[in-house]
Amino acid sequence: MTAGAGSSELTWAQLRDLNCSELEGAADGWGKASNRADAGRDRIEKQLLNGLRETQQGAAADAAVGRLRQLSRNLQYVYTECGLVRTTLNSLAHEMKAQQRVLREALEDAQALRFTVHADGSVTYPEAGEGLVDGRPLAGGTASAKGAPGLLPPSGLVAPNPNTAKAQDIADRVAKAVRAAAEVDWRFARILRKLKAEEGLKVPDRTWTDAAGDAAVVRDVAGGYLRSRIPYDASPAARREWWAGLTDEQREEYLAVYPDQIGNLDGIPALVRDTANRDNLQLLIGKLEGQDGERAETQLAGLREIDRQLQAGRQPPMYLLGIGDEGNGRAIVSYGNPDTARNVSAYVPGLNTSLDADFAKNDLKRALDTAKGVSKYDHSNASIVWLGYDAPQSPDGLGSLDVMGNEKAVKGGSSFHQFMGGLSATNENDDPHITAIGHSYGSRTVGAATQYGGGIPGVDDIVLVGSPGVGVDRAEDLGVGREHVFVGAAENDVVTKLPSKQQSAVGVGVLAATGPVGAHLLGGMADQDDDDVWFGRDPASSAFGARRFPVNEGPRVIGSDGVSIDAHSQYFDPKRDAMSADSIALIAAGRADKVKTEESR
């Protein structure tokens, strides 16, 4: 077919006779090539690299690992590009079939009326009706789409042939189908010409940048063919059923063209999400490589660090359950498979968290430390860090706490609620033990999540550490029962002592000017009689009613080494706060009965 943007030599007969099954057969061939590349990559990642790491050491082994990683990266690119070609061809066939249906219906109408459709698309119709003067049948004629659609001859004293409008409609529908098919042909031909790789055996970063552009284009044209069928508005359980009902070929297409959508869709199995997100990670790196600006540079550093850790093959194994560049960035990482684990915990980070190198190193380490801690009590566990929302960003640390409003927590809480519903839907155990952990502003987000639909789906226990309040005044309002709400609050953690916004209004100027020192001073302003903190009642207070576990008091805000807020960030660290880290691990392992408690504030 040779079509142009505005006109084409395509005829209705060619459109009618087009064998779309040949396009679909070609798509299947590209799909097989994509699958072979994916199988090769999988063998390298799960067999060859692991075998080398376990049995070989030295410079030669390191060089072999480097070459295998490069080969794996190349095969990943082959998998992605071949998958894009497959979906482009299937999308082309899909759209051509739609125009063939329009044409076929027009031709069937012409046949039923005994009209003649000519090679140029004009339609001849017979005499019909009767004249107003002599009563004789009115002459037939020919309608052409070149005229204005629906144009009828002037009536005057002569009644129109009733076939005229019908023939005009058929001619217009034939022309419209041919014109639309020509535009489809031209559009897809341009896309297919662009889907080609550079010569050679290497896949540099700029190639992934091109691949990201290719994927965006194919997603756009495949919108009606694939994306419109993704059940965005369905429940996580319904999404799981939707995925289970797809054929292998359909799943492969979604993974190739929409890794960003499938990888971030709650209710899709963890192994599938991990596969999709690892591919999308490379596309995002390529996309951000082609952008300038601080935001792109910051997120790129975070993505590269996550990629480095994924490639390292550490234990417990990492699963990438979400990744994206919207807002301040998205990343959801699990240590252990949350679909097979008996114990699953999900940690929500707080103020100033974004997709950057610090998150990829430190927040991921918190989840890893929890996974290792839980393993002492039960090896069947998965520990997740969930950055699925835009946490407030205060460029001055604690110096601009006016950014800590409820809006981001409420919106993030809805997303976290949906995510946890997905974990419940895909977990294969009859009654998994699930724990929600909120740190800092993340505890407010967890609190917001509990207020949707009768509590967070599947969650048995809630842990709040370094909390400025959760938006409710009683532990029983969190939906799991007060005996299942646990709080860790370090004596020197100023965030846990921030007074309510009403109480601290007089000191906002001091806070903005002096940062942590101001926060320390304002902490002394809290009304100890009503236990108010920034977002309601202090979770560590006796009035709140949660179970408080002992933690290290942490370094003083003002000490010999200057100003420090480190007491706010060591709850998960088994070296800096072994008591807190072990308590979190016990709770996440379903052994909360072994957790020691201390007196509330």
Side-chain angles (χ1 to χ4, degrees):
M1 298 174 65
T2 56
S7 62
S8 137
E9 298 177 358
L10 180 66
T11 67
W12 66 261
Q14 289 174 321
L15 175 59
R16 178 196 62 193
D17 298 335
L18 176 65
N19 187 357
C20 289
S21 63
E22 293 181 351
L23 292 172
E24 293 168 332
D28 289 343
W30 285 97
K32 291 177 182 177
S34 178
N35 292 340
R36 284 195 292 269
D38 189 43
R41 178 187 62 170
D42 191 63
R43 183 166 181 264
I44 289 172
E45 294 292 334
K46 295 182 179 179
Q47 296 181 31
L48 299 182
L49 281 175
N50 287 338
L52 266 174
R53 293 189 188 103
E54 293 171 359
T55 62
Q56 304 294 322
Q57 293 182 346
D62 291 342
V65 167
R67 295 291 295 274
L68 283 172
R69 282 179 175 166
Q70 180 64 55
L71 180 57
S72 176
R73 184 177 171 87
N74 292 357
L75 289 172
Q76 184 174 16
Y77 175 75
V78 173
Y79 162 76
T80 297
E81 288 292 300
C82 288
L84 293 177
V85 174
R86 171 184 54 195
T87 299
T88 302
L89 290 170
N90 276 332
S91 297
L92 172 59
H94 175 76
E95 294 201 26
M96 283 298 188
K97 284 180 176 180
Q99 299 312 317
Q100 284 181 319
R101 284 194 297 271
V102 173
L103 174 64
R104 183 175 62 252
E105 290 171 359
L107 295 177
E108 288 173 352
D109 287 347
Q111 184 179 16
L113 292 167
R114 296 185 179 181
F115 293 176
T116 301
V117 181
H118 301 284
D120 63 357
S122 62
V123 180
T124 297
Y125 55 93
E127 60 181 19
E130 57 183 33
L132 295 178
V133 177
D134 57 12
R136 298 178 60 185
L138 296 171
T142 299
S144 173
K146 294 180 181 179
L151 182 63
L152 299 176
S155 56
L157 296 177
V158 180
N161 185 326
N163 286 329
T164 302
K166 297 176 183 177
Q168 185 66 60
D169 174 66
I170 292 172
D172 290 340
R173 287 154 61 194
V174 169
K176 183 179 179 181
V178 173
R179 185 166 53 249
E183 290 173 352
V184 167
D185 180 35
W186 174 78
R187 180 158 42 93
F188 277 86
R190 291 184 65 205
I191 295 169
L192 288 168
R193 280 194 291 267
K194 289 184 62 179
L195 293 175
K196 60 181 181 180
E198 296 182 9
E199 295 183 1
L201 297 176
K202 291 187 177 181
V203 182
D205 288 341
R206 67 177 181 275
T207 304
W208 277 109
T209 301
D210 292 340
D214 293 342
V217 171
V218 175
R219 287 180 196 137
D220 184 55
V221 299
Y225 171 61
L226 287 177
R227 184 168 184 173
S228 63
R229 304 176 187 178
I230 300 175
Y232 294 108
D233 296 330
S235 68
R239 292 171 180 170
R240 179 199 61 203
E241 294 304 317
W242 167 76
W243 183 260
L246 296 177
T247 65
D248 289 342
E249 291 76 13
Q250 289 171 324
R251 292 174 186 167
E252 289 160 3
E253 282 202 83
Y254 277 111
L255 288 173
V257 181
Y258 287 111
D260 56 329
Q261 304 297 316
I262 301 303
N264 291 284
L265 196 63
D266 298 321
I268 300 298
L271 284 171
V272 177
R273 292 181 71 161
D274 178 63
T275 298
N277 285 316
R278 287 179 187 244
D279 292 331
N280 191 39
L281 175 63
Q282 299 304 322
L283 293 174
L284 284 172
I285 290 174
K287 173 185 174 182
L288 294 175
E289 279 280 0
Q291 297 180 4
D292 296 322
E294 183 178 354
R295 176 178 173 274
E297 183 178 341
T298 297
Q299 292 190 356
L300 192 57
L303 293 172
R304 283 176 170 161
E305 175 58 23
I306 291 174
D307 185 43
R308 184 193 69 78
Q309 293 185 39
L310 287 169
Q311 297 295 331
R314 61 175 53 186
Q315 293 296 322
M318 292 174 66
Y319 293 83
L320 191 58
L321 303 182
I323 200 74
D325 63 342
E326 61 267 35
N328 294 322
R330 303 286 188 268
I332 307 171
V333 176
S334 178
Y335 291 93
N337 186 339
D339 288 352
T340 60
R342 287 190 299 268
N343 299 286
V344 182
S345 64
Y347 143 62
V348 182
L351 183 66
N352 287 333
T353 308
S354 62
L355 179 56
D356 56 17
D358 181 73
F359 166 82
K361 293 176 182 177
N362 296 321
D363 286 282
L364 263 65
K365 181 181 181 298
R366 289 173 179 171
L368 178 59
D369 284 340
T370 299
K372 290 179 177 178
V374 175
S375 292
K376 293 185 298 183
Y377 305 104
D378 192 335
H379 288 289
S380 181
N381 80 90
S383 177
I384 300 167
V385 53
W386 183 86
L387 181 60
Y389 78 122
D390 283 327
Q393 301 295 304
S394 174
D396 302 317
L398 292 176
S400 302
L401 286 179
D402 54 303
V403 303
M404 287 202 350
N406 287 292
E407 181 181 356
K408 293 183 183 299
V410 171
K411 186 175 181 180
S414 176
S415 298
F416 185 63
H417 186 278
Q418 181 91 347
F419 173 75
M420 298 302 282
L423 291 185
S424 296
T426 57
N427 191 281
E428 299 168 5
N429 293 279
D430 291 335
D431 186 21
H433 176 259
I434 301 179
T435 306
I437 305 172
H439 173 244
S440 187
Y441 188 85
S443 67
R444 175 66 186 95
T445 304
V446 169
T450 66
Q451 303 305 299
Y452 291 93
I456 306 176
V459 167
D460 301 286
D461 293 303
I462 292 177
V463 178
L464 310 168
V465 288
S467 176
V470 297
V472 300
D473 290 335
R474 302 179 305 168
E476 53 260 43
D477 294 334
L478 295 177
V480 293
R482 60 184 295 173
E483 69 279 7
H484 292 283
V485 179
F486 300 85
V487 175
E491 180 62 28
N492 292 320
D493 183 352
V494 296
V495 174
T496 69
K497 295 184 176 182
L498 289 173
S500 69
K501 286 177 276 190
Q502 291 78 14
Q503 292 170 332
S504 64
V506 296
V508 168
V510 174
L511 181 64
T514 57
V517 176
H520 176 60
L521 295 174
L522 285 176
M525 296 171 55
D527 185 345
Q528 299 301 317
D529 292 332
D530 63 13
D531 300 301
D532 283 344
V533 287
W534 195 266
F535 290 117
R537 185 155 290 165
D538 178 8
S541 69
S542 58
F544 189 81
R547 297 170 64 183
R548 186 183 181 191
F549 54 85
V551 301
N552 190 302
E553 65 180 16
R556 294 180 177 275
V557 176
I558 304 173
S560 58
D561 295 330
V563 177
S564 169
I565 57 171
D566 286 352
H568 184 59
S569 60
Q570 62 185 33
Y571 294 99
F572 299 86
D573 194 322
K575 293 183 178 179
R576 293 192 296 167
D577 194 340
M579 290 187 297
S580 177
D582 189 57
S583 294
I584 293 172
L586 279 167
I587 298 164
R591 304 285 297 277
D593 58 309
K594 303 297 182 183
V595 174
K596 296 179 181 179
T597 59
E598 66 177 8
E599 185 178 351
S600 300
R601 286 177 177 169

